[in-house]
Amino acid sequence: MQYSEKVMDHFMNPRNVGEIEDASGVGTVGNAKCGDIMKVYLKIENGIVEDAKFKTFGCGAAVATSSMATELIKGKTIEEAMKITNKAVMEALDGLPPVKVHCSCLAEEALHAALWDYAEKNGIVIEGLEKPVEDIGEHEEIPEEE
Ligand code: FES
């Protein structure tokens, strides 16, 4: 399996690891199939994501995608943040091997879960945001490792 240099960099030196104590939104998503868990903290002020941090108990690709996802979301409006899909995260990392694509889905879901938490706490509706699931493994197939 071949990882891009960017994936290796974000795995070895992950950005934004940690917690935000007074986070505006916190989201936790896991995948029971691989057992990995990702927790994302967002600090949102005046509709802008001022800060993002994460804690990931998971594979290297999960660490790299949460690192990149939190980098991408910082400084974005909520509308822009909604455009950070797993594909956008993968592109920013110069791709992931097919068996690791589901790890980037965990990152997208964790961002959405944190945005959902923020929306609920503030009584707002974020367009296009669906209620997050706690276990994304129920909704997807992980391809077998070759
Ligand atoms: Fe579970 Fe990567 S193997 S997130």
PDB file of all heavy atoms in Angstrom, residues 31 34-36 59 61-62 100 102-103 106, ligand 1:
ATOM      1  N   ASN A  31     -16.354   3.961  13.832  1.00  0.00           N
ATOM      2  CA  ASN A  31     -16.685   2.939  12.845  1.00  0.00           C
ATOM      3  C   ASN A  31     -16.456   1.590  13.508  1.00  0.00           C
ATOM      4  O   ASN A  31     -15.322   1.178  13.716  1.00  0.00           O
ATOM      5  CB  ASN A  31     -15.795   3.110  11.608  1.00  0.00           C
ATOM      6  CG  ASN A  31     -16.187   2.157  10.503  1.00  0.00           C
ATOM      7  OD1 ASN A  31     -16.721   1.072  10.770  1.00  0.00           O
ATOM      8  ND2 ASN A  31     -15.925   2.534   9.282  1.00  0.00           N
ATOM      9  N   CYS A  34     -13.961  -1.160  11.988  1.00  0.00           N
ATOM     10  CA  CYS A  34     -12.512  -1.152  12.204  1.00  0.00           C
ATOM     11  C   CYS A  34     -12.179  -0.752  13.639  1.00  0.00           C
ATOM     12  O   CYS A  34     -11.041  -0.865  14.068  1.00  0.00           O
ATOM     13  CB  CYS A  34     -11.819  -0.215  11.217  1.00  0.00           C
ATOM     14  SG  CYS A  34     -12.320   1.502  11.368  1.00  0.00           S
ATOM     15  N   GLY A  35     -13.168  -0.251  14.376  1.00  0.00           N
ATOM     16  CA  GLY A  35     -12.959   0.092  15.787  1.00  0.00           C
ATOM     17  C   GLY A  35     -12.369   1.468  16.003  1.00  0.00           C
ATOM     18  O   GLY A  35     -11.992   1.821  17.121  1.00  0.00           O
ATOM     19  N   ASP A  36     -12.281   2.262  14.940  1.00  0.00           N
ATOM     20  CA  ASP A  36     -11.651   3.575  15.080  1.00  0.00           C
ATOM     21  C   ASP A  36     -12.654   4.645  15.505  1.00  0.00           C
ATOM     22  O   ASP A  36     -13.821   4.588  15.138  1.00  0.00           O
ATOM     23  CB  ASP A  36     -10.978   3.975  13.758  1.00  0.00           C
ATOM     24  CG  ASP A  36      -9.800   3.067  13.449  1.00  0.00           C
ATOM     25  OD1 ASP A  36      -9.423   2.292  14.343  1.00  0.00           O
ATOM     26  OD2 ASP A  36      -9.273   3.129  12.337  1.00  0.00           O
ATOM     27  N   CYS A  59      -6.463   4.422  12.826  1.00  0.00           N
ATOM     28  CA  CYS A  59      -5.367   4.067  11.930  1.00  0.00           C
ATOM     29  C   CYS A  59      -4.635   5.327  11.458  1.00  0.00           C
ATOM     30  O   CYS A  59      -5.114   6.445  11.658  1.00  0.00           O
ATOM     31  CB  CYS A  59      -5.914   3.301  10.740  1.00  0.00           C
ATOM     32  SG  CYS A  59      -6.837   4.355   9.623  1.00  0.00           S
ATOM     33  N   ALA A  61      -4.299   6.572   8.492  1.00  0.00           N
ATOM     34  CA  ALA A  61      -5.075   7.379   7.541  1.00  0.00           C
ATOM     35  C   ALA A  61      -6.142   8.179   8.277  1.00  0.00           C
ATOM     36  O   ALA A  61      -6.464   9.298   7.880  1.00  0.00           O
ATOM     37  CB  ALA A  61      -5.718   6.479   6.492  1.00  0.00           C
ATOM     38  N   ALA A  62      -6.678   7.628   9.355  1.00  0.00           N
ATOM     39  CA  ALA A  62      -7.681   8.357  10.140  1.00  0.00           C
ATOM     40  C   ALA A  62      -7.023   9.566  10.808  1.00  0.00           C
ATOM     41  O   ALA A  62      -7.602  10.655  10.861  1.00  0.00           O
ATOM     42  CB  ALA A  62      -8.312   7.444  11.183  1.00  0.00           C
ATOM     43  N   LYS A 100      -8.471   2.631   2.149  1.00  0.00           N
ATOM     44  CA  LYS A 100      -8.426   3.629   3.224  1.00  0.00           C
ATOM     45  C   LYS A 100      -9.397   4.787   2.996  1.00  0.00           C
ATOM     46  O   LYS A 100      -9.420   5.742   3.777  1.00  0.00           O
ATOM     47  CB  LYS A 100      -6.989   4.182   3.352  1.00  0.00           C
ATOM     48  CG  LYS A 100      -6.039   3.170   3.942  1.00  0.00           C
ATOM     49  CD  LYS A 100      -6.328   3.018   5.410  1.00  0.00           C
ATOM     50  CE  LYS A 100      -5.689   1.801   6.027  1.00  0.00           C
ATOM     51  NZ  LYS A 100      -6.123   1.581   7.398  1.00  0.00           N
ATOM     52  N   HIS A 102     -12.523   4.869   3.397  1.00  0.00           N
ATOM     53  CA  HIS A 102     -13.525   4.971   4.473  1.00  0.00           C
ATOM     54  C   HIS A 102     -12.999   5.774   5.668  1.00  0.00           C
ATOM     55  O   HIS A 102     -13.783   6.336   6.419  1.00  0.00           O
ATOM     56  CB  HIS A 102     -13.984   3.585   4.925  1.00  0.00           C
ATOM     57  CG  HIS A 102     -12.965   2.850   5.731  1.00  0.00           C
ATOM     58  ND1 HIS A 102     -11.959   2.115   5.141  1.00  0.00           N
ATOM     59  CD2 HIS A 102     -12.771   2.749   7.055  1.00  0.00           C
ATOM     60  CE1 HIS A 102     -11.207   1.591   6.092  1.00  0.00           C
ATOM     61  NE2 HIS A 102     -11.670   1.960   7.258  1.00  0.00           N
ATOM     62  N   CYS A 103     -11.685   5.830   5.818  1.00  0.00           N
ATOM     63  CA  CYS A 103     -11.116   6.600   6.929  1.00  0.00           C
ATOM     64  C   CYS A 103     -11.402   8.090   6.732  1.00  0.00           C
ATOM     65  O   CYS A 103     -11.636   8.816   7.697  1.00  0.00           O
ATOM     66  CB  CYS A 103      -9.621   6.362   7.030  1.00  0.00           C
ATOM     67  SG  CYS A 103      -9.157   4.635   6.865  1.00  0.00           S
ATOM     68  N   LEU A 106     -14.838   9.010   7.833  1.00  0.00           N
ATOM     69  CA  LEU A 106     -14.927   9.233   9.282  1.00  0.00           C
ATOM     70  C   LEU A 106     -14.630  10.707   9.592  1.00  0.00           C
ATOM     71  O   LEU A 106     -15.302  11.323  10.422  1.00  0.00           O
ATOM     72  CB  LEU A 106     -13.911   8.310   9.980  1.00  0.00           C
ATOM     73  CG  LEU A 106     -14.117   7.994  11.455  1.00  0.00           C
ATOM     74  CD1 LEU A 106     -15.473   7.376  11.713  1.00  0.00           C
ATOM     75  CD2 LEU A 106     -13.022   7.050  11.956  1.00  0.00           C
TER      76      LEU A 106
HETATM   77 FE1  FES B   1     -10.691   2.649  10.612  1.00  0.00          FE
HETATM   78 FE2  FES B   1      -8.954   3.809   9.074  1.00  0.00          FE
HETATM   79  S1  FES B   1      -9.130   1.700   9.456  1.00  0.00           S
HETATM   80  S2  FES B   1     -10.584   4.699  10.123  1.00  0.00           S
END
